[in-house]
Amino acid sequence: MRLALIGVGLIGGSFAAALRAAGAVSQVAGFDADAHAIRAALSRGIIDRAATSAADAAGDADLVVVATPVGAMRAAFSEIAGALITSAVVTDVGSTKCSVIDDARAAFGAAFPRFVPAHPIAGGERPGVEHAAANLFRKRLVITTPLPATDPSAAALVEELWRNVGARLERLSPEQHDKVFAAVSHLPHLLAFALVEMIARSPDAETCFSHAGAGFRDFTRIAASSPDMWRDVCLANRGPLSEELRAYRARLDILQSAIDAGNGETLHAVFAAAAAAKRGRSSAA
């Protein structure tokens, strides 16, 4: 199978490396606007050929994986649309699905049924193909969100490839996916960025950071993630994310009132409910 990788970063590079290690692909062409990423992918053997454009990479590919930030996907889809062979399957790795599906539908037209939306729940706070790893997806969850219009054979191919690299598969509707991940992924990233930025611009920032313990490090680890990627994710999923942010702000208002009033009962009730929920999930896992 000939693979085209559009966007040569951590997730796309890891998927290409994993497919190569599994013997699922025979040739990998890669395109990225960042020449450094292409050089790194070539030197690591993740790609075989540096394409001159997204269309050049996709031209003879059996599978095209678009691993750009979600804000760049419409442009990538539009560029490759005219270059795809009739049997080519296209998939993505974006962490929003409704916006990506809208972009794919607009770009691909009659070829849209061979687009399979996917989202691997894996990664790290350090972006870049330099950190790509063939085992990144082993025992990790991958969500696919095929539509009624999706070609069943295309969906089966993409899902089988993810299984081949050790991932677990689950299907959700695009709307359910975006609501769930607004709560458990997009909102936490937004909060981590906001907290670190708030402290960084305070007069005693260095003192605060130098005295931070494990709790702060655990909570803010993801604030080292790619600002470009997470800007695009937050904007692409702004409807569900705004709902979650409003709900979170309402809980913060309750806690603010309890602290201002010295109301320990309310604090304890919220903390106890959260602890029980977290411990229950941990023991279930």
Side-chain angles (χ1 to χ4, degrees), residues 19-100:
L19 290 173
R20 187 185 291 283
V25 295
S26 57
Q27 181 182 349
V28 183
F31 174 73
D32 197 294
D34 183 351
H36 172 76
I38 291 295
R39 289 193 297 270
L42 284 168
S43 68
R44 295 191 58 192
I46 291 173
I47 64 173
D48 303 302
R49 180 174 73 87
T52 58
S53 66
D56 175 43
D60 62 350
D62 302 299
L63 174 70
V64 182
V65 176
V66 180
T68 66
V70 293
M73 283 193 179
R74 179 168 291 214
F77 292 157
S78 297
E79 184 173 350
I80 68 174
L84 297 172
I85 62 175
T86 304
S87 60
V89 172
V90 182
T91 189
D92 78 300
V93 296
S95 62
T96 68
K97 294 277 67 83
C98 289
S99 67
V100 169

Side-chain angles (χ1 to χ4, degrees), residues 1-284:
M1 176 182 294
R2 297 181 300 271
L3 171 68
L5 178 60
I6 314 301
V8 184
L10 172 65
I11 300 300
S14 294
F15 192 32
L19 290 173
R20 187 185 291 283
V25 295
S26 57
Q27 181 182 349
V28 183
F31 174 73
D32 197 294
D34 183 351
H36 172 76
I38 291 295
R39 289 193 297 270
L42 284 168
S43 68
R44 295 191 58 192
I46 291 173
I47 64 173
D48 303 302
R49 180 174 73 87
T52 58
S53 66
D56 175 43
D60 62 350
D62 302 299
L63 174 70
V64 182
V65 176
V66 180
T68 66
V70 293
M73 283 193 179
R74 179 168 291 214
F77 292 157
S78 297
E79 184 173 350
I80 68 174
L84 297 172
I85 62 175
T86 304
S87 60
V89 172
V90 182
T91 189
D92 78 300
V93 296
S95 62
T96 68
K97 294 277 67 83
C98 289
S99 67
V100 169
I101 288 169
D102 288 345
D103 291 343
R105 184 182 285 110
F108 293 138
F112 176 70
R114 297 191 67 76
F115 172 69
V116 182
H119 176 203
I121 315 306
E125 67 272 17
R126 297 295 182 183
V129 72
E130 298 87 349
H131 304 286
N135 64 353
L136 183 65
F137 308 109
R138 195 166 298 157
K139 297 183 180 180
R140 303 302 293 270
L141 183 64
V142 172
I143 307 294
T144 60
T145 63
L147 302 170
T150 305
D151 185 331
S153 66
L157 171 67
V158 170
E159 290 175 344
E160 185 59 27
L161 289 172
W162 279 114
R163 290 188 184 96
N164 285 348
V165 303
R168 300 179 291 113
L169 268 292
E170 182 178 331
R171 287 189 177 187
L172 294 175
S173 72
E175 294 79 12
Q176 185 180 15
H177 170 281
D178 285 1
K179 180 174 177 56
V180 167
F181 285 94
V184 301
S185 177
H186 308 163
L187 179 62
H189 277 83
L190 186 74
L191 299 178
F193 282 126
L195 177 59
V196 173
E197 190 271 343
M198 180 189 75
I199 295 174
R201 58 185 174 81
S202 69
D204 56 350
E206 287 307 314
T207 302
C208 289
F209 286 134
S210 67
H211 288 80
F216 180 82
R217 291 193 298 272
D218 289 346
F219 183 77
T220 61
R221 174 185 59 82
I222 53 179
S225 302
S226 166
D228 290 342
M229 183 185 82
W230 283 102
R231 173 203 60 205
D232 289 353
V233 168
C234 290
L235 292 177
N237 201 29
R238 59 185 176 272
L241 178 56
S242 289
E243 291 181 10
E244 295 297 330
L245 186 57
R246 280 191 289 270
Y248 190 80
R249 184 180 290 112
R251 301 308 293 169
L252 290 180
D253 287 343
I254 290 172
L255 295 175
Q256 177 81 63
S257 296
I259 289 171
D260 291 346
N263 183 347
E265 290 184 5
T266 295
L267 292 177
H268 185 272
V270 173
F271 295 169
K278 179 61 177 175
R279 290 167 185 162
R281 295 303 304 168
S282 298
S283 61

